[in-house]
Amino acid sequence: MNSEILPRSSLGPVFAGGRPLLLALLFAACGGAAASEGAGPVTPSDLYPLHEGAVWSFDVDIGDDHEPALAISRVLSRRGNTYEVRNDGGESVTYEVREDGIYRPASQAYLIHGPLREGRTWDAGSGRTARIAAVDQRIPTPAGTFDRCVRIEESGGADGRQIATTYCPGVGVVILEAGMTSELSGMRAEVRAVLRAYSLGDDPLE
């Protein structure tokens, strides 16, 4: 996926299922307190703080004349270093926090893989490749402005999805972009989510 936000396109003809499928396209990338101010190196677990009870809410733009949708991602449970995350009422996804990254057992691949340096790549599963496109970014969102953020881009695989996820330390996902081109119509569907609010489990989401 290009590092810049891709232009909007007509979404209706691409996915007959409408908004639910578009949200599924978006959250295929995930599964998701104050920003970290520490001086040490940022780690994968800093970028995706999986705490039991953590909740993130996103404003989702699916383009054209559609009103923005609200999407929720939450950590449902923890067992040791394994966490169950559910996005917007869909099926839950299991993540395993390891010393070198956030691992997805179902796909036998990493969501985030350290060390976090620009240009680093790894196997993201299902024929996809993840690449760290940018580090040390400053990202403004409705939930606040966050520093030392990392942008990870995924591409490849049979479905042709292109995904870019920006994570900020001590926060989690702050921007999530996904795009897909229909093989039948050639039209492009694009979805962009921006963090609205979050809680890492200590306080209820406002």
Side-chain angles (χ1 to χ4, degrees):
M1 187 168 187
N2 294 332
S3 59
E4 296 183 359
I5 300 171
L6 296 170
R8 294 177 177 179
S9 63
S10 178
L11 302 176
V14 182
F15 293 104
R19 181 167 296 189
L21 278 181
L22 289 168
L23 294 178
L25 164 65
L26 176 73
F27 280 114
C30 289
S36 171
E37 298 179 354
V42 175
T43 67
S45 58
D46 292 331
L47 293 181
Y48 199 4
L50 292 169
H51 302 167
E52 188 170 9
V55 184
W56 298 265
S57 69
F58 298 88
D59 291 316
V60 182
D61 181 4
I62 61 176
D64 291 338
D65 297 326
H66 295 281
E67 292 294 325
L70 175 65
I72 305 292
S73 179
R74 65 182 74 242
V75 180
L76 296 180
S77 64
R78 173 189 179 185
R79 180 176 295 179
N81 65 338
T82 300
Y83 297 81
E84 182 183 5
V85 178
R86 180 168 294 170
N87 296 311
D88 214 41
E91 294 184 3
S92 61
V93 179
T94 298
Y95 295 106
E96 182 180 318
V97 178
R98 298 183 173 184
E99 290 186 2
D100 59 349
I102 308 296
Y103 185 75
R104 295 179 287 198
S107 58
Q108 298 184 342
Y110 281 87
L111 177 71
I112 309 173
H113 200 352
L116 300 172
R117 59 174 182 269
E118 189 170 341
R120 174 177 171 79
T121 63
W122 63 89
D123 178 9
S126 302
R128 301 177 61 77
T129 299
R131 180 177 71 91
I132 297 179
V135 297
D136 202 24
Q137 292 193 307
R138 182 178 177 84
I139 305 295
T141 75
T145 298
F146 308 111
D147 295 312
R148 308 176 75 199
C149 303
V150 176
R151 178 184 172 95
I152 297 175
E153 298 176 355
E154 281 192 28
S155 60
D159 61 10
R161 275 184 298 119
Q162 297 171 307
I163 298 168
T165 311
T166 301
Y167 301 86
C168 297
V171 180
V173 177
V174 297
I175 298 176
L176 183 55
E177 299 160 285
M180 180 185 292
T181 301
S182 169
E183 293 184 359
L184 295 177
S185 68
M187 300 188 70
R188 183 149 182 93
E190 292 163 6
V191 191
R192 186 174 191 263
V194 178
L195 185 67
R196 172 192 287 189
Y198 69 103
S199 167
L200 296 184
D202 297 328
D203 299 304
L205 182 69
E206 298 181 353

